[in-house]
């Protein structure tokens, strides 16, 4: 069945009606009814930024200055919200379905033509996390291309870019040769591949995916992106290939830690090998020491006052990853549950600003709303709230009721040669793309790395 928006304005009205904004948020973390009641206010604020229900807007994208990858973040959280709290809401289901499917691209590998000039491996990877979320939540499959096959296409195109000619392996930040940043390899791009590979291994029971996850982990250690600082594990941002990736950008970001934590938990759940549980614990302990302030999530590298628009959304993926980790590796509950609950309640009390009285803030350790607002703040608050009830819902595999159809070769026979980092783009367009991303790379090398534009 294909869902369509024949009257987007009607959708706006319906969504507005089912979410009242007459009271401030009250939340008891871990209580489904309380969490869902608070979360619906947050979702309304998030959808204020969604272009797909606005006249002339693009389905699947959010308003500037939010980039394409931010939409991938957002849909992963909205999909969980729908599953946990609004599974009978057909309008919301249509919004999510249409938005995610519309951005799949002509080859159904999440390299749409409207992003082909500037898309990075991390951008494609974050969309892969969201699409795999649809697989694991048994979200209705599109007729032509299943969510699982599209995740496999993302995996296959990313894995084909594994570059052994520099730094002994790893993914580059950028996909295409003309973009500044093509000579930079980073932890988040490789973390996305690791996480997707681990999840595909668990879902399909196909060992070949697990071997890729192991390859990524080993490379991260060998290249020095994952090191020990005393007894604590450190995940560095990345390095340029010119010096064989030896001069690392020494910045730590919560979403990178979260993606590796969850990837380890998926590998443990699949293999039942205690090595992966030990690794899960090790990264959690490092994250707990760095990314929490008084047991409340805190983006220590840039807070307060210095987080850019991308960094203000990092807690959304961090929270989602920590939540699913408690399900896949129950031994981690004692390390994470209290922090997730305190963070969720702190996030809820921060959602007390704006003209609606329920706009969410950035700094949850601040008493009330801190005056900062945006899509990132809404996404992060939503995800941390949902992380406290994630254990009530099944994470499907093909063996426990998962229905999404597999196509292991998806993405391997495309005509646009994305696996070879080549597209038929004019010289003029290449120059424009180079100028666009040069500024981003300069800031990365200056120590404030974020996702590709």
């Amino acid at each position: 069945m294909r869902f369509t928006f024949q009257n987007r304005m009607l959708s706006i009205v319906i969504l507005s009606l089912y979410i009242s904004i007459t009271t401030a948020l009250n939340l008891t973390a871990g209580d489904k009814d309380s969490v869902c009641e608070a979360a619906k206010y947050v979702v309304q604020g998030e959808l204020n930024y969604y272009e797909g229900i606005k006249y002339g807007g693009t389905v699947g994208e959010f308003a500037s200055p939010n980039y394409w990858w931010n939409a991938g973040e957002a849909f992963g959280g909205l999909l969980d919200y729908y599953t946990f709290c609004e599974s009978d809401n057909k309008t919301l289901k249509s919004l999510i379905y249409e938005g995610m499917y519309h951005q799949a691209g002509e080859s159904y590998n999440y390299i749409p033509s409207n992003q082909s000039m500037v898309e990075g491996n991390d951008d494609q990877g974050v969309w892969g996390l969201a699409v795999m979320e649809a697989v694991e939540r048994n979200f209705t499959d599109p007729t032509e291309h299943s969510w699982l096959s599209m995740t496999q296409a993302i995996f296959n195109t990313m894995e084909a870019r594994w570059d052994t000619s520099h730094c002994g392996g790893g993914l580059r930040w950028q996909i295409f040769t003309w973009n500044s940043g093509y000579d930079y390899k980073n932890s988040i791009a490789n973390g996305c591949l690791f996480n997707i590979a681990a999840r595909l291994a668990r879902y399909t029971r196909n060992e070949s995916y697990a071997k890729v996850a192991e390859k990524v982990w080993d490379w991260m250690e060998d290249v020095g992106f994952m090191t020990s600082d005393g007894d604590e594990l450190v995940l560095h941002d990345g390095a340029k290939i010119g010096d064989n990736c030896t001069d690392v950008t020494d910045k730590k970001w919560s979403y990178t830690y979260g993606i590796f934590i969850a990837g380890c938990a998926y590998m443990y759940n699949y293999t039942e090998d205690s090595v992966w549980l030990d690794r899960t614990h090790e990264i959690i302990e490092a994250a707990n020491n760095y990314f929490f302030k008084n047991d409340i999530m805190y983006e220590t590298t840039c807070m307060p006052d210095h987080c850019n628009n991308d960094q203000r959304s990092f807690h959304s993926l961090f929270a989602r990853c920590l939540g699913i980790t408690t399900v896949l590796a129950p031994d981690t509950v004692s390390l994470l549950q209290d922090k997730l609950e305190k963070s969720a309640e702190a996030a809820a009390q921060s959602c007390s600003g704006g003209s609606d009285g329920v706009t969410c803030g950035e700094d949850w350790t601040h008493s009330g709303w801190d005056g900062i607002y945006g899509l990132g703040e809404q996404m992060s608050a939503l995800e941390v709230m949902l992380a406290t009830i994630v254990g009530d819902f099944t994470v499907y595999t093909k063996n426990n009721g998962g229905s999404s159809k597999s196509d292991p070769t998806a993405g391997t026979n495309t005509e646009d040669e994305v696996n070879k980092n080549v597209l038929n783009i004019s010289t003029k367009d290449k120059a424009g793309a180079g100028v666009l991303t040069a500024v981003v790379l300069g800031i990365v090398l200056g120590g404030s790395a974020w996702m590709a534009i």
Side-chain angles (χ1 to χ4, degrees):
M1 181 179 180
R2 184 78 184 273
F3 299 92
T4 60
F5 283 101
Q6 297 184 356
N7 190 330
R8 293 180 185 172
M9 297 307 295
L10 177 60
S11 298
I12 298 173
V13 172
I14 294 172
L15 284 168
S16 298
L17 286 175
Y18 91 82
I19 296 175
S20 167
I21 55 172
T22 58
T23 60
L25 298 191
N26 292 303
L27 180 140
T28 302
D31 178 80
K32 179 180 178 295
D33 291 341
S34 174
V35 167
C36 289
E37 180 65 22
K40 71 181 181 181
Y41 295 96
V42 181
V43 168
Q44 176 61 42
E46 187 169 330
L47 292 178
N48 286 338
Y49 298 94
Y50 184 53
E51 294 291 284
I53 51 178
K54 297 178 181 178
Y55 181 78
T58 301
V59 174
E61 293 191 10
F62 286 75
S64 178
N66 301 292
Y67 299 124
W68 184 71
W69 81 275
N70 294 124
E73 278 186 301
F75 279 111
L78 289 172
L79 197 151
D80 273 353
Y81 171 74
Y82 163 78
T83 303
F84 300 172
C85 303
E86 294 279 351
S87 59
D88 59 348
N89 189 321
K90 294 181 180 179
T91 301
L92 181 60
K93 181 178 184 179
S94 295
L95 183 150
I96 297 167
Y97 182 104
E98 287 290 334
M100 291 182 65
Y101 194 63
H102 188 78
Q103 292 298 321
E106 297 76 7
S107 298
Y108 300 96
N109 57 10
Y110 285 82
I111 307 181
S113 58
N114 67 331
Q115 297 298 320
S116 61
M117 292 304 299
V118 292
E119 183 175 344
N121 277 304
D122 48 1
D123 304 316
Q124 186 188 23
V126 168
W127 270 98
L129 304 180
V131 180
M132 192 64 199
E133 200 78 7
V135 176
E136 293 168 345
R137 298 301 179 198
N138 257 1
F139 193 58
T140 301
D141 256 347
T143 302
E144 299 89 349
H145 299 273
S146 69
W147 300 118
L148 179 56
S149 72
M150 289 188 282
T151 306
Q152 290 167 314
I154 293 168
F155 168 83
N156 286 333
T157 52
M158 291 183 72
E159 205 276 328
R161 300 183 202 114
W162 187 262
D163 171 36
T164 57
S165 60
H166 301 90
C167 309
L171 289 178
R172 298 170 185 253
W173 174 24
Q174 296 295 327
I175 294 174
F176 302 113
T177 56
W178 55 79
N179 280 337
S180 296
Y182 185 69
D183 62 346
Y184 190 79
K185 295 189 176 183
N186 59 5
S187 294
I188 187 59
N190 288 280
C192 286
L193 178 60
F194 171 71
N195 186 288
I196 292 168
R199 294 166 76 170
L200 286 172
R202 177 184 177 272
Y203 189 91
T204 67
R205 315 305 293 178
N206 186 328
E207 183 65 19
S208 65
Y209 294 120
K211 290 186 181 300
V212 172
E214 291 168 355
K215 177 179 72 172
V216 176
W217 180 273
D218 291 343
W219 179 79
M220 286 286 296
E221 289 189 323
D222 292 343
V223 79
F225 288 3
M226 187 183 298
T227 61
S228 294
D229 182 6
D231 295 328
E232 186 171 286
L233 183 143
V234 178
L235 287 171
H236 304 281
D237 183 80
K240 294 186 71 172
I241 64 174
D243 53 15
N244 203 34
C245 296
T246 56
D247 186 14
V248 297
T249 302
D250 190 20
K251 294 293 180 182
K252 297 183 282 189
W253 304 108
S254 63
Y255 73 152
T256 308
Y257 278 70
I259 285 171
F260 274 96
I261 288 168
C264 288
Y266 276 101
M267 285 296 288
Y268 169 66
N269 192 271
Y270 167 61
T271 65
E272 299 183 354
D273 188 336
S274 61
V275 169
W276 288 109
L277 182 60
D278 291 342
R279 289 169 174 172
T280 307
H281 278 252
E282 186 177 12
I283 310 179
I284 287 173
E285 289 172 1
N288 282 349
N289 289 336
Y290 191 75
F291 295 111
F292 288 86
K293 182 179 179 181
N294 298 325
D295 289 338
I296 296 170
M297 285 186 187
Y298 194 82
E299 197 68 40
T300 305
T301 297
C302 62
M303 289 178 68
D305 303 327
H306 297 100
C307 295
N308 64 37
N309 194 69
D310 282 337
Q311 293 156 4
R312 284 160 47 194
S313 74
F314 287 176
H315 280 165
S316 64
L317 284 175
F318 185 49
R320 189 195 310 166
C321 288
L322 296 189
I324 199 66
T325 295
T326 64
V327 178
L328 299 169
D331 285 356
T332 64
V333 169
S334 61
L335 298 174
L336 295 173
Q337 183 172 329
D338 185 58
K339 286 182 168 60
L340 286 172
E341 291 181 352
K342 288 181 179 177
S343 296
E345 291 171 357
Q349 67 86 36
S350 87
C351 296
S352 56
S355 60
D356 58 8
V358 288
T359 294
C360 302
E362 176 190 24
D363 184 357
W364 301 337
T365 68
H366 186 276
S367 179
W369 184 48
D370 62 2
I372 301 174
Y373 62 92
L375 178 62
E377 284 70 34
Q378 298 299 129
M379 289 194 295
S380 296
L382 175 64
E383 296 272 19
V384 76
M385 292 176 186
L386 297 179
T388 68
I389 60 171
V390 65
D392 295 340
F393 301 90
T394 302
V395 188
Y396 286 98
T397 73
K398 72 170 189 176
N399 292 340
N400 71 349
S403 60
S404 197
K405 298 177 182 178
S406 177
D407 180 4
T409 64
T412 61
N413 57 353
T414 57
E415 296 179 0
D416 56 15
E417 300 187 77
V418 292
N419 295 354
K420 300 179 182 178
N421 313 93
V422 175
L423 283 178
N424 293 323
I425 305 288
S426 69
T427 302
K428 178 181 178 181
D429 286 341
K430 292 180 184 180
V435 171
L436 181 62
T437 55
V439 175
V440 178
L441 180 64
I443 297 177
V444 168
L445 298 181
S448 297
W450 71 83
M451 305 291 283
I453 292 179

PDB file of all heavy atoms in Angstrom, residues 302-323:
ATOM      1  N   CYS A 302      31.199  21.198  23.241  1.00  0.00           N
ATOM      2  CA  CYS A 302      30.789  22.521  22.740  1.00  0.00           C
ATOM      3  C   CYS A 302      29.846  23.288  23.666  1.00  0.00           C
ATOM      4  O   CYS A 302      29.625  24.478  23.446  1.00  0.00           O
ATOM      5  CB  CYS A 302      30.143  22.386  21.358  1.00  0.00           C
ATOM      6  SG  CYS A 302      28.627  21.388  21.315  1.00  0.00           S
ATOM      7  N   MET A 303      29.292  22.658  24.673  1.00  0.00           N
ATOM      8  CA  MET A 303      28.392  23.376  25.580  1.00  0.00           C
ATOM      9  C   MET A 303      29.189  23.985  26.731  1.00  0.00           C
ATOM     10  O   MET A 303      30.201  23.420  27.154  1.00  0.00           O
ATOM     11  CB  MET A 303      27.318  22.412  26.131  1.00  0.00           C
ATOM     12  CG  MET A 303      26.287  21.994  25.092  1.00  0.00           C
ATOM     13  SD  MET A 303      25.063  20.811  25.740  1.00  0.00           S
ATOM     14  CE  MET A 303      24.177  21.846  26.907  1.00  0.00           C
ATOM     15  N   PRO A 304      28.742  25.118  27.259  1.00  0.00           N
ATOM     16  CA  PRO A 304      27.614  25.921  26.780  1.00  0.00           C
ATOM     17  C   PRO A 304      28.063  26.924  25.724  1.00  0.00           C
ATOM     18  O   PRO A 304      29.246  27.273  25.648  1.00  0.00           O
ATOM     19  CB  PRO A 304      27.166  26.645  28.053  1.00  0.00           C
ATOM     20  CG  PRO A 304      28.442  26.862  28.812  1.00  0.00           C
ATOM     21  CD  PRO A 304      29.294  25.647  28.524  1.00  0.00           C
ATOM     22  N   ASP A 305      27.144  27.340  24.899  1.00  0.00           N
ATOM     23  CA  ASP A 305      27.285  28.518  24.026  1.00  0.00           C
ATOM     24  C   ASP A 305      28.051  28.313  22.725  1.00  0.00           C
ATOM     25  O   ASP A 305      28.112  29.240  21.912  1.00  0.00           O
ATOM     26  CB  ASP A 305      27.949  29.689  24.781  1.00  0.00           C
ATOM     27  CG  ASP A 305      27.210  30.084  26.035  1.00  0.00           C
ATOM     28  OD1 ASP A 305      25.963  29.968  26.046  1.00  0.00           O
ATOM     29  OD2 ASP A 305      27.859  30.480  27.007  1.00  0.00           O
ATOM     30  N   HIS A 306      28.649  27.128  22.497  1.00  0.00           N
ATOM     31  CA  HIS A 306      29.480  26.992  21.305  1.00  0.00           C
ATOM     32  C   HIS A 306      29.042  25.870  20.366  1.00  0.00           C
ATOM     33  O   HIS A 306      29.766  25.521  19.439  1.00  0.00           O
ATOM     34  CB  HIS A 306      30.948  26.770  21.708  1.00  0.00           C
ATOM     35  CG  HIS A 306      31.546  27.916  22.455  1.00  0.00           C
ATOM     36  ND1 HIS A 306      31.671  27.917  23.826  1.00  0.00           N
ATOM     37  CD2 HIS A 306      32.024  29.120  22.025  1.00  0.00           C
ATOM     38  CE1 HIS A 306      32.225  29.055  24.217  1.00  0.00           C
ATOM     39  NE2 HIS A 306      32.436  29.807  23.139  1.00  0.00           N
ATOM     40  N   CYS A 307      27.887  25.286  20.580  1.00  0.00           N
ATOM     41  CA  CYS A 307      27.420  24.209  19.700  1.00  0.00           C
ATOM     42  C   CYS A 307      26.775  24.800  18.449  1.00  0.00           C
ATOM     43  O   CYS A 307      25.924  25.682  18.543  1.00  0.00           O
ATOM     44  CB  CYS A 307      26.399  23.320  20.418  1.00  0.00           C
ATOM     45  SG  CYS A 307      27.061  22.403  21.819  1.00  0.00           S
ATOM     46  N   ASN A 308      27.201  24.312  17.285  1.00  0.00           N
ATOM     47  CA  ASN A 308      26.568  24.768  16.049  1.00  0.00           C
ATOM     48  C   ASN A 308      25.259  24.009  15.835  1.00  0.00           C
ATOM     49  O   ASN A 308      24.879  23.155  16.639  1.00  0.00           O
ATOM     50  CB  ASN A 308      27.523  24.622  14.858  1.00  0.00           C
ATOM     51  CG  ASN A 308      27.894  23.187  14.561  1.00  0.00           C
ATOM     52  OD1 ASN A 308      27.087  22.266  14.671  1.00  0.00           O
ATOM     53  ND2 ASN A 308      29.133  22.967  14.147  1.00  0.00           N
ATOM     54  N   ASN A 309      24.589  24.313  14.744  1.00  0.00           N
ATOM     55  CA  ASN A 309      23.259  23.749  14.520  1.00  0.00           C
ATOM     56  C   ASN A 309      23.279  22.228  14.485  1.00  0.00           C
ATOM     57  O   ASN A 309      22.365  21.574  14.993  1.00  0.00           O
ATOM     58  CB  ASN A 309      22.676  24.293  13.211  1.00  0.00           C
ATOM     59  CG  ASN A 309      21.194  24.018  13.082  1.00  0.00           C
ATOM     60  OD1 ASN A 309      20.382  24.586  13.808  1.00  0.00           O
ATOM     61  ND2 ASN A 309      20.828  23.121  12.176  1.00  0.00           N
ATOM     62  N   ASP A 310      24.302  21.641  13.888  1.00  0.00           N
ATOM     63  CA  ASP A 310      24.395  20.181  13.841  1.00  0.00           C
ATOM     64  C   ASP A 310      24.648  19.586  15.218  1.00  0.00           C
ATOM     65  O   ASP A 310      24.004  18.622  15.630  1.00  0.00           O
ATOM     66  CB  ASP A 310      25.512  19.757  12.888  1.00  0.00           C
ATOM     67  CG  ASP A 310      25.110  19.856  11.430  1.00  0.00           C
ATOM     68  OD1 ASP A 310      23.904  19.821  11.145  1.00  0.00           O
ATOM     69  OD2 ASP A 310      25.998  19.955  10.571  1.00  0.00           O
ATOM     70  N   GLN A 311      25.598  20.162  15.927  1.00  0.00           N
ATOM     71  CA  GLN A 311      25.985  19.616  17.231  1.00  0.00           C
ATOM     72  C   GLN A 311      24.847  19.674  18.232  1.00  0.00           C
ATOM     73  O   GLN A 311      24.786  18.855  19.152  1.00  0.00           O
ATOM     74  CB  GLN A 311      27.213  20.377  17.749  1.00  0.00           C
ATOM     75  CG  GLN A 311      28.458  20.130  16.913  1.00  0.00           C
ATOM     76  CD  GLN A 311      29.476  21.252  17.006  1.00  0.00           C
ATOM     77  OE1 GLN A 311      29.297  22.215  17.759  1.00  0.00           O
ATOM     78  NE2 GLN A 311      30.544  21.148  16.225  1.00  0.00           N
ATOM     79  N   ARG A 312      23.928  20.610  18.036  1.00  0.00           N
ATOM     80  CA  ARG A 312      22.775  20.728  18.934  1.00  0.00           C
ATOM     81  C   ARG A 312      21.788  19.576  18.753  1.00  0.00           C
ATOM     82  O   ARG A 312      20.860  19.419  19.554  1.00  0.00           O
ATOM     83  CB  ARG A 312      22.084  22.070  18.712  1.00  0.00           C
ATOM     84  CG  ARG A 312      22.838  23.235  19.334  1.00  0.00           C
ATOM     85  CD  ARG A 312      22.467  24.572  18.731  1.00  0.00           C
ATOM     86  NE  ARG A 312      21.029  24.755  18.605  1.00  0.00           N
ATOM     87  CZ  ARG A 312      20.494  25.720  17.866  1.00  0.00           C
ATOM     88  NH1 ARG A 312      21.261  26.527  17.159  1.00  0.00           N
ATOM     89  NH2 ARG A 312      19.174  25.847  17.812  1.00  0.00           N
ATOM     90  N   SER A 313      21.983  18.759  17.736  1.00  0.00           N
ATOM     91  CA  SER A 313      21.100  17.612  17.518  1.00  0.00           C
ATOM     92  C   SER A 313      21.727  16.283  17.916  1.00  0.00           C
ATOM     93  O   SER A 313      21.080  15.249  17.844  1.00  0.00           O
ATOM     94  CB  SER A 313      20.702  17.538  16.036  1.00  0.00           C
ATOM     95  OG  SER A 313      21.787  17.079  15.236  1.00  0.00           O
ATOM     96  N   PHE A 314      22.985  16.299  18.320  1.00  0.00           N
ATOM     97  CA  PHE A 314      23.708  15.041  18.547  1.00  0.00           C
ATOM     98  C   PHE A 314      23.062  14.164  19.616  1.00  0.00           C
ATOM     99  O   PHE A 314      23.127  12.940  19.559  1.00  0.00           O
ATOM    100  CB  PHE A 314      25.163  15.316  18.912  1.00  0.00           C
ATOM    101  CG  PHE A 314      26.030  15.778  17.762  1.00  0.00           C
ATOM    102  CD1 PHE A 314      27.348  16.145  17.975  1.00  0.00           C
ATOM    103  CD2 PHE A 314      25.529  15.857  16.474  1.00  0.00           C
ATOM    104  CE1 PHE A 314      28.156  16.563  16.928  1.00  0.00           C
ATOM    105  CE2 PHE A 314      26.319  16.287  15.411  1.00  0.00           C
ATOM    106  CZ  PHE A 314      27.647  16.646  15.646  1.00  0.00           C
ATOM    107  N   HIS A 315      22.438  14.792  20.612  1.00  0.00           N
ATOM    108  CA  HIS A 315      21.821  14.006  21.679  1.00  0.00           C
ATOM    109  C   HIS A 315      20.664  13.148  21.184  1.00  0.00           C
ATOM    110  O   HIS A 315      20.282  12.178  21.846  1.00  0.00           O
ATOM    111  CB  HIS A 315      21.342  14.917  22.813  1.00  0.00           C
ATOM    112  CG  HIS A 315      22.441  15.328  23.735  1.00  0.00           C
ATOM    113  ND1 HIS A 315      22.313  16.369  24.641  1.00  0.00           N
ATOM    114  CD2 HIS A 315      23.697  14.855  23.896  1.00  0.00           C
ATOM    115  CE1 HIS A 315      23.437  16.498  25.315  1.00  0.00           C
ATOM    116  NE2 HIS A 315      24.299  15.602  24.881  1.00  0.00           N
ATOM    117  N   SER A 316      20.100  13.487  20.039  1.00  0.00           N
ATOM    118  CA  SER A 316      18.994  12.672  19.530  1.00  0.00           C
ATOM    119  C   SER A 316      19.473  11.264  19.203  1.00  0.00           C
ATOM    120  O   SER A 316      18.857  10.276  19.631  1.00  0.00           O
ATOM    121  CB  SER A 316      18.357  13.337  18.312  1.00  0.00           C
ATOM    122  OG  SER A 316      19.255  13.417  17.229  1.00  0.00           O
ATOM    123  N   LEU A 317      20.561  11.150  18.458  1.00  0.00           N
ATOM    124  CA  LEU A 317      21.099   9.824  18.142  1.00  0.00           C
ATOM    125  C   LEU A 317      21.729   9.171  19.366  1.00  0.00           C
ATOM    126  O   LEU A 317      21.631   7.950  19.547  1.00  0.00           O
ATOM    127  CB  LEU A 317      22.134   9.934  17.013  1.00  0.00           C
ATOM    128  CG  LEU A 317      21.566  10.129  15.612  1.00  0.00           C
ATOM    129  CD1 LEU A 317      22.681  10.350  14.604  1.00  0.00           C
ATOM    130  CD2 LEU A 317      20.714   8.944  15.186  1.00  0.00           C
ATOM    131  N   PHE A 318      22.379   9.970  20.195  1.00  0.00           N
ATOM    132  CA  PHE A 318      22.988   9.438  21.412  1.00  0.00           C
ATOM    133  C   PHE A 318      21.935   8.766  22.288  1.00  0.00           C
ATOM    134  O   PHE A 318      22.094   7.620  22.726  1.00  0.00           O
ATOM    135  CB  PHE A 318      23.672  10.583  22.159  1.00  0.00           C
ATOM    136  CG  PHE A 318      24.454  10.180  23.385  1.00  0.00           C
ATOM    137  CD1 PHE A 318      25.360   9.135  23.345  1.00  0.00           C
ATOM    138  CD2 PHE A 318      24.302  10.881  24.583  1.00  0.00           C
ATOM    139  CE1 PHE A 318      26.100   8.778  24.472  1.00  0.00           C
ATOM    140  CE2 PHE A 318      25.036  10.546  25.704  1.00  0.00           C
ATOM    141  CZ  PHE A 318      25.933   9.486  25.649  1.00  0.00           C
ATOM    142  N   ALA A 319      20.833   9.456  22.517  1.00  0.00           N
ATOM    143  CA  ALA A 319      19.771   8.916  23.369  1.00  0.00           C
ATOM    144  C   ALA A 319      19.144   7.672  22.752  1.00  0.00           C
ATOM    145  O   ALA A 319      18.890   6.678  23.450  1.00  0.00           O
ATOM    146  CB  ALA A 319      18.708   9.977  23.613  1.00  0.00           C
ATOM    147  N   ARG A 320      18.859   7.711  21.442  1.00  0.00           N
ATOM    148  CA  ARG A 320      18.260   6.547  20.793  1.00  0.00           C
ATOM    149  C   ARG A 320      19.174   5.328  20.922  1.00  0.00           C
ATOM    150  O   ARG A 320      18.719   4.218  21.198  1.00  0.00           O
ATOM    151  CB  ARG A 320      17.992   6.832  19.324  1.00  0.00           C
ATOM    152  CG  ARG A 320      17.174   5.734  18.634  1.00  0.00           C
ATOM    153  CD  ARG A 320      17.213   5.838  17.126  1.00  0.00           C
ATOM    154  NE  ARG A 320      16.914   7.179  16.650  1.00  0.00           N
ATOM    155  CZ  ARG A 320      17.138   7.579  15.401  1.00  0.00           C
ATOM    156  NH1 ARG A 320      17.666   6.757  14.513  1.00  0.00           N
ATOM    157  NH2 ARG A 320      16.841   8.813  15.027  1.00  0.00           N
ATOM    158  N   CYS A 321      20.467   5.546  20.735  1.00  0.00           N
ATOM    159  CA  CYS A 321      21.420   4.434  20.802  1.00  0.00           C
ATOM    160  C   CYS A 321      21.540   3.877  22.218  1.00  0.00           C
ATOM    161  O   CYS A 321      21.620   2.657  22.408  1.00  0.00           O
ATOM    162  CB  CYS A 321      22.786   4.896  20.295  1.00  0.00           C
ATOM    163  SG  CYS A 321      22.864   5.148  18.506  1.00  0.00           S
ATOM    164  N   LEU A 322      21.555   4.749  23.216  1.00  0.00           N
ATOM    165  CA  LEU A 322      21.636   4.260  24.596  1.00  0.00           C
ATOM    166  C   LEU A 322      20.373   3.497  24.968  1.00  0.00           C
ATOM    167  O   LEU A 322      20.433   2.466  25.655  1.00  0.00           O
ATOM    168  CB  LEU A 322      21.849   5.427  25.563  1.00  0.00           C
ATOM    169  CG  LEU A 322      23.161   6.211  25.434  1.00  0.00           C
ATOM    170  CD1 LEU A 322      23.311   7.183  26.603  1.00  0.00           C
ATOM    171  CD2 LEU A 322      24.371   5.302  25.340  1.00  0.00           C
ATOM    172  N   GLY A 323      19.224   3.988  24.514  1.00  0.00           N
ATOM    173  CA  GLY A 323      17.980   3.303  24.826  1.00  0.00           C
ATOM    174  C   GLY A 323      17.948   1.899  24.261  1.00  0.00           C
ATOM    175  O   GLY A 323      17.629   0.933  24.967  1.00  0.00           O
TER     176      GLY A 323
END
